[in-house]
Every structure is written in structure tokens, then in C-alpha cells.
Amino acid sequence: AASPVPISRNGRDVEVASDVNEETMTVMTVLGKRVTIVDAERKIFVIDLLSPETCDEIRQMADDHVAREHKNGGSKTWRTLYTYTKMDLPVVEVKNMAANYTDYILHAVKKIIGEVHGVKDEAMKLRQRSWKEPHLLLYQAVDGKPHHTGIEMHYDGCDYTCEIL
């Protein structure tokens, strides 16, 4: 089996699917953001959208939310929303997350999709499939196991999927 291909994102290496030809990847700047086209046919690309500090802020906001829920006996914490993943948290349940982060992320991703694929108007019409979208996934570092590099490619009915690692 082929090894995952590393690409650089915000100065860190991120691994992508092992069946990607590293020589056919293209790097461009779209709306001021670095975009690496990993697989044009399958429409897979990596956007250098958020800084590591912003990702840390999002994680902290989720951690604070879960701690408050546990303290108050609430149930809006990490749980199974779908059969494929087991530790999900809808962004809509985390106070101020949409206003502070996800509204911008979704808008920026749709704009970049439109620019990359030449479908600006159509891309801005893309929508989440339910109230549970977008959602955060919780991954754990386990001794002796490789670090998780994101959920594997699948089709679940969404217009588009993005992962923030």
C-alpha cells in the first residue's frame, strides 16, 4: 500500500490520501489564500484558511462549552450524530462559534470553491444538509496508534465537505 502524501499547511505537514499523485498537485492563491489542488478530478483541495492559533481558539471554545454542559448537567456535548462518526458536536450548540468562526469559514470555503471551479454563483448557493451541520469531530491521540489525519473520503449527501485540521 502507498503511503499518505504530505503537503505543507501553515508550516505544518498534513497527510492526504495515499492514491494521490504528488506530481500533479497544483498550488495557487485564491482570494488571498493558498490553495493546493490535490486531485482535480475528485475535486479535492487544501485551503490554507485558518492559522494554528485560530484552530486552538475553536478547540478551546468547544472545550469550554462541553465543560459548562457537564457542570450544568446538560446533554449538548460530544455524542453520536451519524453512524459514521462517534464524537460529534453541532456548532450551532456552541455559543458564539457560528458568529465568531464558522459563518466566515463556510462563506470563505464557498467563495474559494466558486473561484477554483469557475462556478461563483452556484457555489454561494451550497447549503448544509441539516441543523447538525456544520459539526465538530473529536479525535483522541492514542499511544501506539498513528495520529488521525481526518475522516476518510465518503459521500453523505452534503453539497460540500471541509475539514479543519
Side-chain angles (χ1 to χ4, degrees), residues 74-104:
S75 61
K76 294 181 177 179
T77 65
W78 300 107
R79 61 195 184 276
T80 299
L81 295 177
Y82 302 104
T83 56
Y84 195 72
T85 57
K86 303 298 177 204
M87 295 295 278
D88 307 315
L89 178 62
V91 166
V92 70
E93 294 177 355
V94 181
K95 183 179 179 181
N96 296 321
M97 184 162 300
N100 292 351
Y101 299 103
T102 54
D103 289 348
Y104 160 76

Side-chain angles (χ1 to χ4, degrees), residues 55-71 73-82 85-94 97 102 131-132 134-140 164:
C55 292
D56 288 342
E57 291 168 11
I58 291 169
R59 278 190 287 276
Q60 188 62 55
M61 187 176 267
D63 289 345
D64 292 348
H65 166 80
V66 169
R68 276 191 306 277
E69 283 291 305
H70 283 299
K71 181 180 176 185
S75 61
K76 294 181 177 179
T77 65
W78 300 107
R79 61 195 184 276
T80 299
L81 295 177
Y82 302 104
T85 57
K86 303 298 177 204
M87 295 295 278
D88 307 315
L89 178 62
V91 166
V92 70
E93 294 177 355
V94 181
M97 184 162 300
T102 54
W131 68 270
K132 299 182 233 180
H135 62 273
L136 303 171
L137 299 175
L138 178 65
Y139 296 112
Q140 250 178 311
I164 300 170

Side-chain angles (χ1 to χ4, degrees), residues 13-33:
D13 281 343
V14 176
E15 292 181 347
V16 296
S18 59
D19 61 342
V20 169
N21 183 349
E22 202 170 354
E23 294 173 11
T24 63
M25 288 194 282
T26 306
V27 178
M28 62 181 71
T29 301
V30 180
L31 301 173
K33 302 296 180 183

